[in-house]
Amino acid sequence: MAMPGVSAGVEQMLREMREGVPEGRVPARIFNDREIYELELERVFGKAWCFLAHESEIPRPGDYVTRYIGNNNIIVARDEKGEIHAHLNMCRHRGNMMCKSEMGNASHFRCSYHGWVYKNSGELIGVPYFNEAYERKLQRKDWGLVKVRIDSYGGLIFGTLDPDAESLADYLGGFQFYLDIYLKQGLGGSEVHGPPDHWVAETDWKICAENFSGDGYHTPVAHQFGFHLGYFASSGATHSKGWAVHIPGKGHGIGLGHTPGMPPFFGYPDELVKQMHESLSPGQLELFSKTRTAVGNVFPNLSFLIQPLSLEPGDPGVRFCTMRLYHPVGPGRMEMWSWCLVPKDAPQEYKEAAYKAYTLAFGQAGTFEQDDFENWIKVTKMTGSTLARGVDFPYIQGLDREPLKDFPGPGYAVEPYVTEDNFRNLWSTWVRYMMEGE
């Protein structure tokens, strides 16, 4: 049976991809194609749980940010009672954008076209000329802002456009165990430090999501200057040591790099290490204490990286954490959002040092960021060519590898860190969404 709304060419490609991914084949066409992009808006971003904001970005009553799920602009606001709401940023009268600022504080939103007024919790409370124009017949309770279903984990606010989507807890499927390395580094949890960086780049969001699902293979090549200059507390020879873990069928994956001989939790202040022994479980402590680099992606497009940055050779350096969102804005084009995440109860000196390390490495002009984007932009350009439409890529690293039986965390875990198991899981999940249950 033909897939409704899908061309024969794309339908055939998706069917072949569904069979090919388990064997290690992924078509180049998916990284830069208009029909693929439009289908993603409907079937991936229209169904999945997508990251919207961190609770620390809207700490006070009235605080709000505007973010996106696919091509839907969303207001995420904390009301006067402290409850968080998400609504489509569109006036119900004629569709004007309600809030034109990316962040701020407001108890109400007033449309600049006809003046309808909404509370920050979404209710319509003000209609100009209500008596004269509407003869008091408009039922205001029926015309509030369009509500978006939300839930949160560890301060991360997610939204879904699908009213029938599974719960966020089920969607994460055990990946919470690994998210805690980013979110529970202290008893008070984590918070964003400084406003997010964001910029537009000519690259496909999926390339970035794949990379941050645990691509340890590219690091000694793309970021080789980091080894030569001593920014890494390891060498290219030891970088592949560690574990790759994914949640089968969910698309989430993480790479946990390990440097033998380094002390537990190196790069963190002692006060923070003590807090982690209270905030993390024994299994998490066993795993995370050995971890040098933790790079993970929550399907579809939310990524994290923890890494120590050494400013002098041999120095364990300071740990920083970047949280990243790859927002699609067109075929082969995305808007990048990047935050620095720090433990809320960490010493201020450490927060400042971590932010400096984050900015140097993965801020908008960060050295490692530039390495990645140069490659990602070129990949996107090349995969959009006419000849590339018929090309497959090999994803066969670790194809016959057996999962570890005594791994302390949930999911499918293998070693070493350099493998493509996580990517095959990512693409299997992606094509399932794209085929909408076929």
PDB file of all heavy atoms in Angstrom, residues 3-4 6 10 13-14 17 30 35-45 205-206 299 427-438:
ATOM      1  N   MET A   3       2.277   4.981   0.649  1.00  0.00           N
ATOM      2  CA  MET A   3       2.260   5.880   1.802  1.00  0.00           C
ATOM      3  C   MET A   3       1.615   7.193   1.388  1.00  0.00           C
ATOM      4  O   MET A   3       2.089   7.845   0.436  1.00  0.00           O
ATOM      5  CB  MET A   3       3.694   6.129   2.301  1.00  0.00           C
ATOM      6  CG  MET A   3       4.379   4.900   2.857  1.00  0.00           C
ATOM      7  SD  MET A   3       6.147   5.161   3.146  1.00  0.00           S
ATOM      8  CE  MET A   3       6.100   6.511   4.331  1.00  0.00           C
ATOM      9  N   PRO A   4       0.549   7.637   2.032  1.00  0.00           N
ATOM     10  CA  PRO A   4      -0.126   8.873   1.621  1.00  0.00           C
ATOM     11  C   PRO A   4       0.772  10.097   1.788  1.00  0.00           C
ATOM     12  O   PRO A   4       1.488  10.228   2.782  1.00  0.00           O
ATOM     13  CB  PRO A   4      -1.330   8.941   2.570  1.00  0.00           C
ATOM     14  CG  PRO A   4      -0.962   8.084   3.739  1.00  0.00           C
ATOM     15  CD  PRO A   4      -0.096   7.001   3.196  1.00  0.00           C
ATOM     16  N   VAL A   6       3.413  10.935   0.154  1.00  0.00           N
ATOM     17  CA  VAL A   6       4.837  10.697  -0.050  1.00  0.00           C
ATOM     18  C   VAL A   6       5.062  10.285  -1.504  1.00  0.00           C
ATOM     19  O   VAL A   6       4.335   9.426  -2.027  1.00  0.00           O
ATOM     20  CB  VAL A   6       5.364   9.594   0.897  1.00  0.00           C
ATOM     21  CG1 VAL A   6       6.855   9.378   0.696  1.00  0.00           C
ATOM     22  CG2 VAL A   6       5.059   9.952   2.342  1.00  0.00           C
ATOM     23  N   VAL A  10      10.665   8.760  -2.663  1.00  0.00           N
ATOM     24  CA  VAL A  10      10.984   8.821  -1.242  1.00  0.00           C
ATOM     25  C   VAL A  10      10.432   7.604  -0.516  1.00  0.00           C
ATOM     26  O   VAL A  10      11.076   7.048   0.387  1.00  0.00           O
ATOM     27  CB  VAL A  10      10.443  10.126  -0.611  1.00  0.00           C
ATOM     28  CG1 VAL A  10      10.498  10.067   0.918  1.00  0.00           C
ATOM     29  CG2 VAL A  10      11.256  11.316  -1.100  1.00  0.00           C
ATOM     30  N   MET A  13      12.821   4.821  -1.103  1.00  0.00           N
ATOM     31  CA  MET A  13      14.044   5.032  -0.340  1.00  0.00           C
ATOM     32  C   MET A  13      13.849   4.669   1.127  1.00  0.00           C
ATOM     33  O   MET A  13      14.689   4.025   1.750  1.00  0.00           O
ATOM     34  CB  MET A  13      14.486   6.489  -0.457  1.00  0.00           C
ATOM     35  CG  MET A  13      15.817   6.796   0.225  1.00  0.00           C
ATOM     36  SD  MET A  13      15.894   8.474   0.880  1.00  0.00           S
ATOM     37  CE  MET A  13      14.754   8.380   2.257  1.00  0.00           C
ATOM     38  N   LEU A  14      12.715   5.081   1.718  1.00  0.00           N
ATOM     39  CA  LEU A  14      12.454   4.795   3.129  1.00  0.00           C
ATOM     40  C   LEU A  14      12.283   3.296   3.363  1.00  0.00           C
ATOM     41  O   LEU A  14      12.766   2.752   4.369  1.00  0.00           O
ATOM     42  CB  LEU A  14      11.216   5.554   3.603  1.00  0.00           C
ATOM     43  CG  LEU A  14      11.362   7.076   3.716  1.00  0.00           C
ATOM     44  CD1 LEU A  14      10.008   7.721   4.030  1.00  0.00           C
ATOM     45  CD2 LEU A  14      12.382   7.467   4.782  1.00  0.00           C
ATOM     46  N   MET A  17      15.622   1.810   3.199  1.00  0.00           N
ATOM     47  CA  MET A  17      16.391   2.206   4.376  1.00  0.00           C
ATOM     48  C   MET A  17      15.996   1.373   5.590  1.00  0.00           C
ATOM     49  O   MET A  17      16.839   0.979   6.388  1.00  0.00           O
ATOM     50  CB  MET A  17      16.189   3.698   4.654  1.00  0.00           C
ATOM     51  CG  MET A  17      17.009   4.229   5.814  1.00  0.00           C
ATOM     52  SD  MET A  17      16.759   6.012   6.027  1.00  0.00           S
ATOM     53  CE  MET A  17      17.757   6.301   7.499  1.00  0.00           C
ATOM     54  N   ILE A  30      19.057  11.542   2.681  1.00  0.00           N
ATOM     55  CA  ILE A  30      18.284  12.018   3.830  1.00  0.00           C
ATOM     56  C   ILE A  30      18.862  13.282   4.447  1.00  0.00           C
ATOM     57  O   ILE A  30      18.185  13.955   5.221  1.00  0.00           O
ATOM     58  CB  ILE A  30      18.158  10.929   4.918  1.00  0.00           C
ATOM     59  CG1 ILE A  30      19.506  10.648   5.582  1.00  0.00           C
ATOM     60  CG2 ILE A  30      17.546   9.660   4.361  1.00  0.00           C
ATOM     61  CD1 ILE A  30      19.413   9.732   6.799  1.00  0.00           C
ATOM     62  N   GLU A  35      11.765  17.248   0.237  1.00  0.00           N
ATOM     63  CA  GLU A  35      10.643  16.395   0.608  1.00  0.00           C
ATOM     64  C   GLU A  35      10.890  15.698   1.945  1.00  0.00           C
ATOM     65  O   GLU A  35       9.974  15.565   2.763  1.00  0.00           O
ATOM     66  CB  GLU A  35      10.373  15.354  -0.479  1.00  0.00           C
ATOM     67  CG  GLU A  35       9.102  14.556  -0.207  1.00  0.00           C
ATOM     68  CD  GLU A  35       8.762  13.567  -1.302  1.00  0.00           C
ATOM     69  OE1 GLU A  35       9.438  13.575  -2.351  1.00  0.00           O
ATOM     70  OE2 GLU A  35       7.816  12.778  -1.101  1.00  0.00           O
ATOM     71  N   ILE A  36      12.123  15.274   2.179  1.00  0.00           N
ATOM     72  CA  ILE A  36      12.471  14.658   3.468  1.00  0.00           C
ATOM     73  C   ILE A  36      12.251  15.665   4.594  1.00  0.00           C
ATOM     74  O   ILE A  36      11.657  15.349   5.637  1.00  0.00           O
ATOM     75  CB  ILE A  36      13.933  14.178   3.466  1.00  0.00           C
ATOM     76  CG1 ILE A  36      14.121  13.003   2.506  1.00  0.00           C
ATOM     77  CG2 ILE A  36      14.395  13.808   4.876  1.00  0.00           C
ATOM     78  CD1 ILE A  36      13.415  11.738   2.932  1.00  0.00           C
ATOM     79  N   TYR A  37      12.698  16.888   4.397  1.00  0.00           N
ATOM     80  CA  TYR A  37      12.540  17.930   5.417  1.00  0.00           C
ATOM     81  C   TYR A  37      11.065  18.172   5.744  1.00  0.00           C
ATOM     82  O   TYR A  37      10.671  18.210   6.917  1.00  0.00           O
ATOM     83  CB  TYR A  37      13.191  19.229   4.930  1.00  0.00           C
ATOM     84  CG  TYR A  37      12.751  20.461   5.680  1.00  0.00           C
ATOM     85  CD1 TYR A  37      13.185  20.704   6.975  1.00  0.00           C
ATOM     86  CD2 TYR A  37      11.890  21.389   5.089  1.00  0.00           C
ATOM     87  CE1 TYR A  37      12.779  21.827   7.677  1.00  0.00           C
ATOM     88  CE2 TYR A  37      11.477  22.513   5.779  1.00  0.00           C
ATOM     89  CZ  TYR A  37      11.928  22.734   7.067  1.00  0.00           C
ATOM     90  OH  TYR A  37      11.514  23.845   7.759  1.00  0.00           O
ATOM     91  N   GLU A  38      10.241  18.307   4.721  1.00  0.00           N
ATOM     92  CA  GLU A  38       8.814  18.576   4.952  1.00  0.00           C
ATOM     93  C   GLU A  38       8.128  17.391   5.628  1.00  0.00           C
ATOM     94  O   GLU A  38       7.232  17.565   6.460  1.00  0.00           O
ATOM     95  CB  GLU A  38       8.143  18.940   3.630  1.00  0.00           C
ATOM     96  CG  GLU A  38       8.628  20.290   3.092  1.00  0.00           C
ATOM     97  CD  GLU A  38       8.077  20.617   1.714  1.00  0.00           C
ATOM     98  OE1 GLU A  38       7.445  19.728   1.113  1.00  0.00           O
ATOM     99  OE2 GLU A  38       8.294  21.753   1.239  1.00  0.00           O
ATOM    100  N   LEU A  39       8.558  16.181   5.288  1.00  0.00           N
ATOM    101  CA  LEU A  39       8.001  14.996   5.926  1.00  0.00           C
ATOM    102  C   LEU A  39       8.431  14.915   7.396  1.00  0.00           C
ATOM    103  O   LEU A  39       7.651  14.493   8.256  1.00  0.00           O
ATOM    104  CB  LEU A  39       8.443  13.750   5.158  1.00  0.00           C
ATOM    105  CG  LEU A  39       7.612  12.471   5.336  1.00  0.00           C
ATOM    106  CD1 LEU A  39       6.163  12.693   4.913  1.00  0.00           C
ATOM    107  CD2 LEU A  39       8.236  11.331   4.533  1.00  0.00           C
ATOM    108  N   GLU A  40       9.658  15.330   7.677  1.00  0.00           N
ATOM    109  CA  GLU A  40      10.139  15.357   9.065  1.00  0.00           C
ATOM    110  C   GLU A  40       9.310  16.286   9.939  1.00  0.00           C
ATOM    111  O   GLU A  40       9.008  15.962  11.100  1.00  0.00           O
ATOM    112  CB  GLU A  40      11.598  15.813   9.115  1.00  0.00           C
ATOM    113  CG  GLU A  40      12.608  14.785   8.683  1.00  0.00           C
ATOM    114  CD  GLU A  40      14.010  15.348   8.640  1.00  0.00           C
ATOM    115  OE1 GLU A  40      14.189  16.581   8.568  1.00  0.00           O
ATOM    116  OE2 GLU A  40      14.958  14.546   8.673  1.00  0.00           O
ATOM    117  N   LEU A  41       8.955  17.447   9.407  1.00  0.00           N
ATOM    118  CA  LEU A  41       8.154  18.389  10.191  1.00  0.00           C
ATOM    119  C   LEU A  41       6.859  17.744  10.654  1.00  0.00           C
ATOM    120  O   LEU A  41       6.412  17.951  11.791  1.00  0.00           O
ATOM    121  CB  LEU A  41       7.852  19.645   9.367  1.00  0.00           C
ATOM    122  CG  LEU A  41       9.027  20.540   9.006  1.00  0.00           C
ATOM    123  CD1 LEU A  41       8.529  21.756   8.231  1.00  0.00           C
ATOM    124  CD2 LEU A  41       9.812  20.981  10.230  1.00  0.00           C
ATOM    125  N   GLU A  42       6.263  16.964   9.780  1.00  0.00           N
ATOM    126  CA  GLU A  42       4.982  16.334  10.088  1.00  0.00           C
ATOM    127  C   GLU A  42       5.147  15.086  10.948  1.00  0.00           C
ATOM    128  O   GLU A  42       4.429  14.901  11.937  1.00  0.00           O
ATOM    129  CB  GLU A  42       4.284  15.965   8.780  1.00  0.00           C
ATOM    130  CG  GLU A  42       2.995  15.180   8.964  1.00  0.00           C
ATOM    131  CD  GLU A  42       2.446  14.663   7.639  1.00  0.00           C
ATOM    132  OE1 GLU A  42       2.894  15.129   6.573  1.00  0.00           O
ATOM    133  OE2 GLU A  42       1.565  13.771   7.682  1.00  0.00           O
ATOM    134  N   ARG A  43       6.111  14.240  10.611  1.00  0.00           N
ATOM    135  CA  ARG A  43       6.138  12.901  11.192  1.00  0.00           C
ATOM    136  C   ARG A  43       7.154  12.725  12.319  1.00  0.00           C
ATOM    137  O   ARG A  43       6.959  11.843  13.165  1.00  0.00           O
ATOM    138  CB  ARG A  43       6.388  11.870  10.088  1.00  0.00           C
ATOM    139  CG  ARG A  43       5.279  11.891   9.050  1.00  0.00           C
ATOM    140  CD  ARG A  43       5.339  10.717   8.122  1.00  0.00           C
ATOM    141  NE  ARG A  43       4.175  10.711   7.225  1.00  0.00           N
ATOM    142  CZ  ARG A  43       3.937   9.772   6.324  1.00  0.00           C
ATOM    143  NH1 ARG A  43       4.776   8.749   6.207  1.00  0.00           N
ATOM    144  NH2 ARG A  43       2.875   9.837   5.564  1.00  0.00           N
ATOM    145  N   VAL A  44       8.221  13.495  12.311  1.00  0.00           N
ATOM    146  CA  VAL A  44       9.182  13.427  13.423  1.00  0.00           C
ATOM    147  C   VAL A  44       8.852  14.499  14.445  1.00  0.00           C
ATOM    148  O   VAL A  44       8.499  14.207  15.590  1.00  0.00           O
ATOM    149  CB  VAL A  44      10.633  13.565  12.923  1.00  0.00           C
ATOM    150  CG1 VAL A  44      11.597  13.567  14.111  1.00  0.00           C
ATOM    151  CG2 VAL A  44      10.985  12.426  11.976  1.00  0.00           C
ATOM    152  N   PHE A  45       8.910  15.759  14.030  1.00  0.00           N
ATOM    153  CA  PHE A  45       8.682  16.856  14.971  1.00  0.00           C
ATOM    154  C   PHE A  45       7.205  17.014  15.324  1.00  0.00           C
ATOM    155  O   PHE A  45       6.872  17.647  16.328  1.00  0.00           O
ATOM    156  CB  PHE A  45       9.276  18.145  14.410  1.00  0.00           C
ATOM    157  CG  PHE A  45      10.775  18.084  14.337  1.00  0.00           C
ATOM    158  CD1 PHE A  45      11.405  17.697  13.170  1.00  0.00           C
ATOM    159  CD2 PHE A  45      11.547  18.353  15.444  1.00  0.00           C
ATOM    160  CE1 PHE A  45      12.785  17.600  13.097  1.00  0.00           C
ATOM    161  CE2 PHE A  45      12.927  18.256  15.390  1.00  0.00           C
ATOM    162  CZ  PHE A  45      13.548  17.879  14.216  1.00  0.00           C
ATOM    163  N   TRP A 205      20.238  19.106  10.448  1.00  0.00           N
ATOM    164  CA  TRP A 205      20.234  18.843  11.879  1.00  0.00           C
ATOM    165  C   TRP A 205      20.623  17.409  12.220  1.00  0.00           C
ATOM    166  O   TRP A 205      21.219  17.144  13.270  1.00  0.00           O
ATOM    167  CB  TRP A 205      18.843  19.147  12.454  1.00  0.00           C
ATOM    168  CG  TRP A 205      17.747  18.224  12.014  1.00  0.00           C
ATOM    169  CD1 TRP A 205      16.978  18.340  10.891  1.00  0.00           C
ATOM    170  CD2 TRP A 205      17.308  17.028  12.666  1.00  0.00           C
ATOM    171  NE1 TRP A 205      16.085  17.303  10.801  1.00  0.00           N
ATOM    172  CE2 TRP A 205      16.259  16.478  11.885  1.00  0.00           C
ATOM    173  CE3 TRP A 205      17.691  16.367  13.840  1.00  0.00           C
ATOM    174  CZ2 TRP A 205      15.602  15.301  12.235  1.00  0.00           C
ATOM    175  CZ3 TRP A 205      17.030  15.194  14.193  1.00  0.00           C
ATOM    176  CH2 TRP A 205      15.999  14.672  13.400  1.00  0.00           C
ATOM    177  N   LYS A 206      20.327  16.472  11.322  1.00  0.00           N
ATOM    178  CA  LYS A 206      20.562  15.060  11.615  1.00  0.00           C
ATOM    179  C   LYS A 206      22.046  14.715  11.662  1.00  0.00           C
ATOM    180  O   LYS A 206      22.449  13.790  12.373  1.00  0.00           O
ATOM    181  CB  LYS A 206      19.836  14.192  10.591  1.00  0.00           C
ATOM    182  CG  LYS A 206      18.321  14.352  10.609  1.00  0.00           C
ATOM    183  CD  LYS A 206      17.622  13.377   9.684  1.00  0.00           C
ATOM    184  CE  LYS A 206      17.927  13.596   8.227  1.00  0.00           C
ATOM    185  NZ  LYS A 206      17.477  14.940   7.749  1.00  0.00           N
ATOM    186  N   PHE A 299      16.794  11.742  21.179  1.00  0.00           N
ATOM    187  CA  PHE A 299      16.097  11.829  19.902  1.00  0.00           C
ATOM    188  C   PHE A 299      14.913  12.801  20.006  1.00  0.00           C
ATOM    189  O   PHE A 299      14.171  12.766  20.989  1.00  0.00           O
ATOM    190  CB  PHE A 299      15.576  10.440  19.502  1.00  0.00           C
ATOM    191  CG  PHE A 299      14.941  10.391  18.148  1.00  0.00           C
ATOM    192  CD1 PHE A 299      15.700  10.204  17.020  1.00  0.00           C
ATOM    193  CD2 PHE A 299      13.564  10.540  18.009  1.00  0.00           C
ATOM    194  CE1 PHE A 299      15.103  10.163  15.761  1.00  0.00           C
ATOM    195  CE2 PHE A 299      12.957  10.507  16.761  1.00  0.00           C
ATOM    196  CZ  PHE A 299      13.744  10.315  15.638  1.00  0.00           C
ATOM    197  N   TRP A 427      19.012   5.848  13.301  1.00  0.00           N
ATOM    198  CA  TRP A 427      18.383   5.854  11.978  1.00  0.00           C
ATOM    199  C   TRP A 427      17.210   4.886  11.898  1.00  0.00           C
ATOM    200  O   TRP A 427      16.246   5.132  11.174  1.00  0.00           O
ATOM    201  CB  TRP A 427      19.428   5.543  10.890  1.00  0.00           C
ATOM    202  CG  TRP A 427      20.475   6.602  10.847  1.00  0.00           C
ATOM    203  CD1 TRP A 427      21.827   6.443  10.959  1.00  0.00           C
ATOM    204  CD2 TRP A 427      20.253   8.009  10.731  1.00  0.00           C
ATOM    205  NE1 TRP A 427      22.465   7.661  10.922  1.00  0.00           N
ATOM    206  CE2 TRP A 427      21.523   8.641  10.784  1.00  0.00           C
ATOM    207  CE3 TRP A 427      19.124   8.803  10.610  1.00  0.00           C
ATOM    208  CZ2 TRP A 427      21.673  10.023  10.709  1.00  0.00           C
ATOM    209  CZ3 TRP A 427      19.270  10.184  10.539  1.00  0.00           C
ATOM    210  CH2 TRP A 427      20.530  10.769  10.577  1.00  0.00           C
ATOM    211  N   SER A 428      17.263   3.785  12.636  1.00  0.00           N
ATOM    212  CA  SER A 428      16.107   2.885  12.685  1.00  0.00           C
ATOM    213  C   SER A 428      14.901   3.590  13.300  1.00  0.00           C
ATOM    214  O   SER A 428      13.764   3.429  12.840  1.00  0.00           O
ATOM    215  CB  SER A 428      16.449   1.633  13.497  1.00  0.00           C
ATOM    216  OG  SER A 428      17.432   0.862  12.848  1.00  0.00           O
ATOM    217  N   THR A 429      15.157   4.382  14.348  1.00  0.00           N
ATOM    218  CA  THR A 429      14.084   5.134  14.991  1.00  0.00           C
ATOM    219  C   THR A 429      13.551   6.208  14.052  1.00  0.00           C
ATOM    220  O   THR A 429      12.331   6.389  13.910  1.00  0.00           O
ATOM    221  CB  THR A 429      14.589   5.775  16.294  1.00  0.00           C
ATOM    222  OG1 THR A 429      15.118   4.750  17.148  1.00  0.00           O
ATOM    223  CG2 THR A 429      13.474   6.518  17.003  1.00  0.00           C
ATOM    224  N   TRP A 430      14.453   6.919  13.407  1.00  0.00           N
ATOM    225  CA  TRP A 430      14.061   8.002  12.493  1.00  0.00           C
ATOM    226  C   TRP A 430      13.186   7.470  11.359  1.00  0.00           C
ATOM    227  O   TRP A 430      12.137   8.052  11.045  1.00  0.00           O
ATOM    228  CB  TRP A 430      15.319   8.672  11.934  1.00  0.00           C
ATOM    229  CG  TRP A 430      15.069   9.776  10.960  1.00  0.00           C
ATOM    230  CD1 TRP A 430      14.826  11.085  11.238  1.00  0.00           C
ATOM    231  CD2 TRP A 430      15.048   9.661   9.523  1.00  0.00           C
ATOM    232  NE1 TRP A 430      14.652  11.801  10.072  1.00  0.00           N
ATOM    233  CE2 TRP A 430      14.780  10.951   9.008  1.00  0.00           C
ATOM    234  CE3 TRP A 430      15.233   8.603   8.637  1.00  0.00           C
ATOM    235  CZ2 TRP A 430      14.695  11.199   7.643  1.00  0.00           C
ATOM    236  CZ3 TRP A 430      15.138   8.845   7.265  1.00  0.00           C
ATOM    237  CH2 TRP A 430      14.878  10.133   6.783  1.00  0.00           C
ATOM    238  N   VAL A 431      13.593   6.367  10.753  1.00  0.00           N
ATOM    239  CA  VAL A 431      12.821   5.859   9.613  1.00  0.00           C
ATOM    240  C   VAL A 431      11.474   5.304  10.073  1.00  0.00           C
ATOM    241  O   VAL A 431      10.478   5.372   9.335  1.00  0.00           O
ATOM    242  CB  VAL A 431      13.640   4.797   8.819  1.00  0.00           C
ATOM    243  CG1 VAL A 431      13.663   3.459   9.523  1.00  0.00           C
ATOM    244  CG2 VAL A 431      13.090   4.654   7.416  1.00  0.00           C
ATOM    245  N   ARG A 432      11.399   4.791  11.297  1.00  0.00           N
ATOM    246  CA  ARG A 432      10.101   4.347  11.822  1.00  0.00           C
ATOM    247  C   ARG A 432       9.136   5.513  11.953  1.00  0.00           C
ATOM    248  O   ARG A 432       7.954   5.423  11.583  1.00  0.00           O
ATOM    249  CB  ARG A 432      10.282   3.666  13.172  1.00  0.00           C
ATOM    250  CG  ARG A 432       9.000   2.972  13.667  1.00  0.00           C
ATOM    251  CD  ARG A 432       9.157   2.337  15.019  1.00  0.00           C
ATOM    252  NE  ARG A 432       9.163   3.314  16.098  1.00  0.00           N
ATOM    253  CZ  ARG A 432      10.201   3.580  16.865  1.00  0.00           C
ATOM    254  NH1 ARG A 432      11.355   2.936  16.662  1.00  0.00           N
ATOM    255  NH2 ARG A 432      10.127   4.471  17.830  1.00  0.00           N
ATOM    256  N   TYR A 433       9.608   6.651  12.477  1.00  0.00           N
ATOM    257  CA  TYR A 433       8.769   7.846  12.547  1.00  0.00           C
ATOM    258  C   TYR A 433       8.365   8.298  11.147  1.00  0.00           C
ATOM    259  O   TYR A 433       7.213   8.663  10.898  1.00  0.00           O
ATOM    260  CB  TYR A 433       9.509   8.976  13.252  1.00  0.00           C
ATOM    261  CG  TYR A 433       9.356   8.996  14.755  1.00  0.00           C
ATOM    262  CD1 TYR A 433      10.201   8.238  15.564  1.00  0.00           C
ATOM    263  CD2 TYR A 433       8.397   9.782  15.367  1.00  0.00           C
ATOM    264  CE1 TYR A 433      10.073   8.255  16.944  1.00  0.00           C
ATOM    265  CE2 TYR A 433       8.264   9.815  16.750  1.00  0.00           C
ATOM    266  CZ  TYR A 433       9.099   9.050  17.523  1.00  0.00           C
ATOM    267  OH  TYR A 433       8.971   9.067  18.891  1.00  0.00           O
ATOM    268  N   MET A 434       9.318   8.286  10.227  1.00  0.00           N
ATOM    269  CA  MET A 434       9.052   8.781   8.873  1.00  0.00           C
ATOM    270  C   MET A 434       8.044   7.900   8.134  1.00  0.00           C
ATOM    271  O   MET A 434       7.294   8.383   7.286  1.00  0.00           O
ATOM    272  CB  MET A 434      10.358   8.849   8.083  1.00  0.00           C
ATOM    273  CG  MET A 434      11.312   9.919   8.591  1.00  0.00           C
ATOM    274  SD  MET A 434      10.759  11.594   8.249  1.00  0.00           S
ATOM    275  CE  MET A 434      11.268  11.765   6.530  1.00  0.00           C
ATOM    276  N   MET A 435       7.991   6.625   8.487  1.00  0.00           N
ATOM    277  CA  MET A 435       7.053   5.716   7.814  1.00  0.00           C
ATOM    278  C   MET A 435       5.746   5.596   8.598  1.00  0.00           C
ATOM    279  O   MET A 435       4.826   4.886   8.170  1.00  0.00           O
ATOM    280  CB  MET A 435       7.700   4.351   7.615  1.00  0.00           C
ATOM    281  CG  MET A 435       8.900   4.411   6.698  1.00  0.00           C
ATOM    282  SD  MET A 435       9.533   2.779   6.226  1.00  0.00           S
ATOM    283  CE  MET A 435       8.254   2.231   5.092  1.00  0.00           C
ATOM    284  N   GLU A 436       5.665   6.268   9.729  1.00  0.00           N
ATOM    285  CA  GLU A 436       4.431   6.406  10.490  1.00  0.00           C
ATOM    286  C   GLU A 436       3.727   5.077  10.721  1.00  0.00           C
ATOM    287  O   GLU A 436       2.550   4.887  10.393  1.00  0.00           O
ATOM    288  CB  GLU A 436       3.486   7.391   9.786  1.00  0.00           C
ATOM    289  CG  GLU A 436       2.562   8.133  10.725  1.00  0.00           C
ATOM    290  CD  GLU A 436       1.767   9.221  10.008  1.00  0.00           C
ATOM    291  OE1 GLU A 436       1.115   8.908   9.008  1.00  0.00           O
ATOM    292  OE2 GLU A 436       1.817  10.378  10.456  1.00  0.00           O
ATOM    293  N   GLY A 437       4.485   4.117  11.293  1.00  0.00           N
ATOM    294  CA  GLY A 437       3.879   2.848  11.671  1.00  0.00           C
ATOM    295  C   GLY A 437       3.722   1.832  10.561  1.00  0.00           C
ATOM    296  O   GLY A 437       3.104   0.792  10.755  1.00  0.00           O
ATOM    297  N   GLU A 438       4.285   2.117   9.390  1.00  0.00           N
ATOM    298  CA  GLU A 438       4.167   1.187   8.246  1.00  0.00           C
ATOM    299  C   GLU A 438       4.782  -0.167   8.605  1.00  0.00           C
ATOM    300  O   GLU A 438       5.849  -0.223   9.218  1.00  0.00           O
ATOM    301  CB  GLU A 438       4.882   1.776   7.033  1.00  0.00           C
ATOM    302  CG  GLU A 438       4.054   2.798   6.303  1.00  0.00           C
ATOM    303  CD  GLU A 438       3.089   2.162   5.325  1.00  0.00           C
ATOM    304  OE1 GLU A 438       3.500   1.259   4.568  1.00  0.00           O
ATOM    305  OE2 GLU A 438       1.928   2.566   5.311  1.00  0.00           O
TER     306      GLU A 438
END
